[in-house]
Amino acid sequence: MRFLGAVTTALLLSLCSAAPQLNHANHALHEKRDGVPHQWQKRDRAYSHAKLPIRIGLRQRNLEHAERYIRDIADPDSPNFGKHWSAEQVANTFAPHPETKDAVTNWLIESGIDRSRISYSTGHNWVQFHSTVDEAERILATEYWHYMHESGGYRMACDSYSLPQHVQRHIDFVMPTIQLDGLRPVPRVSGILDGPLPNGAKLGSEPCGVLTTIDCLRKLYKIPESHTAARGNEMGIGEWVSYLNEPDLPLFFKNFTRPQIPGNTKPEIISIDGGKTANKTTVAGNLGLEAALDVQTAYSIIHPQNINVYVVGDGVNIDSSGTFNIFLDALDESYCTYKGGDQPYVDPVYPDPNDDGDSEDALGAYNGPLQCGGAPKSNVISVSYGQIEGALPIFYQHRQCHEWMKLGLQGVSVLFATGDTGVANQYNEEFPSACLNAHDDYFDVNGTRYAPSFPVNCPYITAVGSTAFISNNTADGEKASDELGAISGGGFSNYFALPSYQASAVRKYMREFAPNYGANVYNDTGKARGFPDVSAIGLNGPIIFNGESFAVSGTSFSAPIVAGIVTLLNEARLAVGKRPVGFLNPMFYKHPEAFNDITIGNNAGCGTGGFNAVPGWDPVTGLGTPNFEKLKKIALELP
Ligand SMILES: *[C@@H]1O[C@H](CO)[C@@H](O)[C@H](O)[C@H]1NC(C)=O
Ligand SMILES: *[C@@H]1O[C@H](CO)[C@@H](O)[C@H](O)[C@H]1NC(C)=O
Ligand SMILES: *[C@@H]1O[C@H](CO)[C@@H](O)[C@H](O)[C@H]1NC(C)=O
Ligand SMILES: *[C@@H]1O[C@H](CO)[C@@H](O)[C@H](O)[C@H]1NC(C)=O
Ligand SMILES: *[C@@H]1O[C@H](CO)[C@@H](O)[C@H](O)[C@H]1NC(C)=O
């Protein structure tokens, strides 16, 4: 984060004096933060002339029908199964009503913002203008302050803001406002490396309980060797500040794949807002660990099908590492904001309006415009990163969740890893396992309430938890992973309601197995979205990283396994002229018999034992782990 350097005081003063005085009597509180989150300190008032790139998220139409729309094309019992929507159909169905855009525009003009300063996103979902702190304070009836993060970063934010009642119903939220926390997606791979493998480690050199090779996975989940590559069926993998070290790939292919993948095989790298790969043999620190695990795991399952790696954000400083939001912008032109910048201070703003051209740019900070559309979609997208539900505003999460829903309508399967700290969550390396405070949604090392993850709390995502082998004999099956650093993330959202596809599974769990901790520990209403949906082995995935072999653990291993299996399901459907399976959950919950039910283990955290794995769905391992043969039969029978 950079501070505004030189200021054009004269111009700004004249702006202020020209602005009409506003009457705030008709304003109503729109969003409010309860306090200052852990690691942040409220300092002094923001300079009145500092620039704020204001983005107003307009309320979209027809979202109340979203669940019905998606059921219509994703429920196996629907006659329209697989009849995915076009991007245009999605954009037209959900675009805000013209009345919404007009009401917000008129309000801004009445508040002294000249029409020439106001612009709209391509999809007309966002209104934006470059404001000063002074103007924003008047319009939103608030005060902006500087907040300092323990690590030294600064932000401008407010504690609450208000909107006139007549425009409130047209607006989801305004940014930058109350947002402080939850910047950077956290990789779901155990930071603690299980250590280098013994010299000469390769396929078949260790039992499955020590190294989960592709042979172990094939046996466990009945995955065949793959033989075909359908054009356009590349599997998508999202990476945030994790550079894929390409020279590791041929080494991995040689030692850990069967049939051996040719050494010159490379994924398609899709750079979003400055994202890049490494081409040195050494990636600094552990930065490349996540990318190595995701890409190597997926290749061993789906090759000769290729991979699209979306590398998001330039990663030069913490605020420019990108979020899930700028990834969505790049995939969907109708979603993104116009002329750069998304949700400032949650999402990096490109180009940075306060950029003073300082030395960070020399390190390769991205200064181009925000990418809007243009990135190819993939039929399956696997993401092994997450954030914390309690650390992000509700409106912000709902808006992104609806965007994943729109991808689902277009036939995309989106899978996310649930995290490796059970019912707790991972804030950063310093707080690898923290929970929510008793009284608010803030994250604390001493918190006692469960901390659900984002975006696996979103019901339009397929959330993947982790398991472990019971013994070295794969026939003994799996249990929930309880190894420190690889405890299956699971629980119930405090923000998202129970989706219909999951209702009977969750109700059965609540009726027969719910622990009796009380509402002050987790959302025990039985009305909340539960996760994970499914799981896969999360321990001892083989990787080659910086030329050395390791076994690594976490739901980061589980997610690309399930996503790889779904890619093979699509391959089978495409081969007979059918469409990709698309949004998976309605099909999965209708067919629990296609999963190995996991009934041993739990996901401890926050000073409790967490939840138990039980017969049927549970918030530890979901429906269980996939049986490819059974899933393939089901997928091929569907239209
Ligand atoms: C690959 O396996 C060979 C033994 O076949 C071993 O010598 C080599 O060290 C392994 N490579 C890595 C990077 O571990
Ligand atoms: C990779 O190498 C090329 C050629 O030396 C260079 O231009 C490029 O910047 C390098 N990329 C990275 C990520 O280091
Ligand atoms: C957490 O609890 C420990 C032990 O009671 C205490 O020393 C520490 O200060 C607490 N940390 C915070 C951030 O409250
Ligand atoms: C598998 O065997 C190894 C010894 O070869 C042992 O250390 C490990 O604990 C066993 N794993 C399981 C899951 O039983
Ligand atoms: C539990 O989830 C439901 C459904 O989303 C919600 O209405 C309720 O407020 C949640 N309870 C808590 C304590 O967060």
Side-chain angles (χ1 to χ4, degrees):
M1 181 73 32
R2 280 152 285 181
F3 257 138
L4 181 64
V7 285
T8 48
T9 318
L11 170 71
L12 294 162
L13 283 178
S14 68
L15 271 180
C16 298
S17 53
Q21 287 306 307
L22 290 184
N23 170 12
H24 290 144
N26 290 324
H27 274 55
L29 181 68
H30 194 64
E31 281 193 282
K32 181 174 184 297
R33 193 166 16 72
D34 289 335
V36 179
H38 194 60
Q39 292 189 307
W40 288 94
Q41 238 189 10
K42 189 171 178 176
R43 304 298 282 263
D44 45 357
R45 281 293 298 274
Y47 307 129
S48 62
H49 50 253
K51 293 183 212 166
L52 287 173
I54 297 285
R55 305 280 185 279
I56 301 172
L58 300 182
R59 192 144 301 170
Q60 302 171 68
R61 268 181 307 174
N62 290 320
L63 286 177
E64 66 277 19
H65 307 304
E67 196 170 340
R68 178 163 61 79
Y69 294 153
I70 204 145
R71 218 170 40 224
D72 187 51
I73 54 117
D75 187 320
D77 293 339
S78 164
N80 294 323
F81 179 91
K83 292 187 184 153
H84 305 138
W85 293 23
S86 67
E88 292 70 35
Q89 195 180 354
V90 168
N92 292 337
T93 302
F94 298 105
H97 198 281
E99 183 194 312
T100 290
K101 192 176 120 188
D102 292 345
V104 172
T105 305
N106 290 337
W107 162 58
L108 292 177
I109 292 169
E110 282 159 23
S111 309
I113 309 300
D114 193 82
R115 189 184 281 277
S116 64
R117 293 169 59 197
I118 302 171
S119 59
Y120 308 93
S121 69
T122 315
H124 290 245
N125 295 333
W126 298 90
V127 175
Q128 85 151 39
F129 65 100
H130 283 287
S131 176
T132 59
V133 163
D134 185 74
E135 284 177 313
E137 289 187 344
R138 282 190 303 104
I139 294 169
L140 302 173
T142 185
E143 286 182 356
Y144 278 86
W145 291 72
H146 287 133
Y147 291 80
M148 195 178 79
H149 192 260
E150 267 175 27
S151 66
Y154 270 96
R155 285 194 191 176
M156 284 179 276
C158 54
D159 296 328
S160 68
Y161 66 97
S162 304
L163 296 170
Q165 276 153 28
H166 73 282
V167 295
Q168 200 172 16
R169 68 193 168 90
H170 296 298
I171 292 177
D172 274 350
F173 55 84
V174 181
M175 297 297 282
T177 51
I178 60 172
Q179 180 57 44
L180 283 176
D181 243 330
L183 275 173
R184 183 175 179 167
V186 176
R188 297 322 199 173
V189 65
S190 165
I192 314 147
L193 280 175
D194 298 335
L197 287 168
N199 272 341
K202 53 180 194 167
L203 207 58
S205 66
E206 306 284 347
C208 291
V210 174
L211 196 62
T212 311
T213 61
I214 181 62
D215 285 352
C216 303
L217 293 177
R218 286 193 178 127
K219 218 185 294 172
L220 193 61
Y221 300 140
K222 309 218 179 317
I223 311 172
E225 285 176 14
S226 177
H227 297 289
T228 53
R231 256 196 94 65
N233 195 37
E234 292 78 19
M235 175 175 148
I237 293 178
E239 298 294 343
W240 277 258
V241 200
S242 183
Y243 301 131
L244 181 68
N245 194 27
E246 290 187 330
D248 286 335
L249 290 178
L251 303 176
F252 176 81
F253 295 153
K254 183 155 182 283
N255 279 21
F256 291 114
T257 63
R258 180 162 23 226
Q260 199 172 311
I261 300 177
N264 59 359
T265 305
K266 275 194 175 137
E268 187 76 29
I269 300 293
I270 295 152
S271 165
I272 295 174
D273 299 320
K276 56 194 169 214
T277 58
N279 51 8
K280 310 182 278 275
T281 38
T282 304
V283 179
N286 276 353
L287 276 186
L289 196 61
E290 182 64 64
L293 177 63
D294 299 347
V295 173
Q296 293 173 15
T297 301
Y299 263 134
S300 46
I301 297 171
I302 69 166
H303 186 270
Q305 185 63 69
N306 210 2
I307 296 175
N308 289 330
V309 183
Y310 303 93
V311 189
V312 187
D314 63 36
V316 169
N317 59 48
I318 188 154
D319 275 350
S320 64
S321 56
T323 61
F324 301 125
N325 227 17
I326 70 170
F327 176 46
L328 290 167
D329 284 338
L331 287 178
D332 181 2
E333 186 188 22
S334 76
Y335 177 70
C336 62
T337 58
Y338 182 57
K339 284 182 186 158
D342 220 307
Q343 294 182 21
Y345 307 101
V346 187
D347 305 315
V349 183
Y350 296 127
D352 186 339
N354 286 337
D355 192 356
D356 51 6
D358 69 15
S359 59
E360 273 167 342
D361 302 340
L363 298 171
Y366 181 70
N367 269 320
L370 182 91
Q371 181 168 349
C372 177
K377 293 193 179 78
S378 301
N379 292 334
V380 177
I381 294 177
S382 178
V383 182
S384 289
Y385 293 76
Q387 293 175 302
I388 300 160
E389 178 183 85
L392 292 163
I394 295 181
F395 290 142
Y396 175 85
Q397 297 183 55
H398 274 278
R399 197 170 179 106
Q400 280 190 44
C401 180
H402 284 131
E403 191 62 16
W404 297 116
M405 177 274 296
K406 292 179 194 171
L407 287 174
L409 279 176
Q410 293 169 71
V412 178
S413 310
V414 181
L415 299 99
F416 268 77
T418 57
D420 309 325
T421 45
V423 291
N425 215 312
Q426 182 172 0
Y427 184 77
N428 56 23
E429 273 126 49
E430 201 186 339
F431 298 115
S433 174
C435 302
L436 301 176
N437 280 329
H439 304 299
D440 55 39
D441 269 354
Y442 290 128
F443 207 55
D444 201 304
V445 274
N446 292 336
T448 52
R449 288 167 55 217
Y450 294 175
S453 291
F454 171 79
V456 290
N457 55 356
C458 166
Y460 302 113
I461 274 173
T462 300
V464 184
S466 64
T467 61
F469 283 110
I470 289 173
S471 78
N472 277 311
N473 181 358
T474 51
D476 287 346
E478 299 156 87
K479 59 180 181 178
S481 165
D482 55 2
E483 184 160 301
L484 201 62
I487 304 175
S488 186
F492 296 96
S493 170
N494 292 322
Y495 292 1
F496 286 91
L498 180 65
S500 61
Y501 62 75
Q502 197 187 35
S504 71
V506 166
R507 286 199 195 111
K508 177 173 186 290
Y509 175 83
M510 293 308 293
R511 209 168 45 233
E512 296 176 24
F513 304 106
N516 213 0
Y517 301 130
N520 54 341
V521 172
Y522 75 99
N523 190 334
D524 66 356
T525 58
K527 293 180 177 156
R529 152 77 168 151
F531 60 94
D533 298 299
V534 296
S535 51
I537 196 101
L539 286 190
N540 305 319
I543 64 163
I544 302 242
F545 177 53
N546 284 343
E548 250 193 292
S549 51
F550 297 91
V552 297
S553 301
T555 45
S556 285
F557 184 39
S558 318
I561 293 173
V562 179
I565 286 175
V566 175
T567 300
L568 298 187
L569 292 178
N570 283 342
E571 200 176 286
R573 279 178 60 86
L574 293 172
V576 296
K578 294 186 175 184
R579 305 259 315 134
V581 280
F583 178 53
L584 298 161
N585 294 0
M587 176 177 90
F588 281 179
Y589 281 84
K590 280 253 158 84
H591 291 285
E593 79 283 1
F595 295 85
N596 311 307
D597 193 3
I598 310 300
T599 58
I600 300 172
N602 61 321
N603 57 356
C606 309
T608 72
F611 301 105
N612 289 325
V614 298
W617 180 88
D618 53 67
V620 192
T621 59
L623 296 165
T625 62
N627 178 317
F628 177 78
E629 279 176 6
K630 290 184 181 170
L631 283 170
K632 182 178 164 190
K633 187 159 179 290
I634 293 160
L636 282 178
E637 277 167 7
L638 286 167

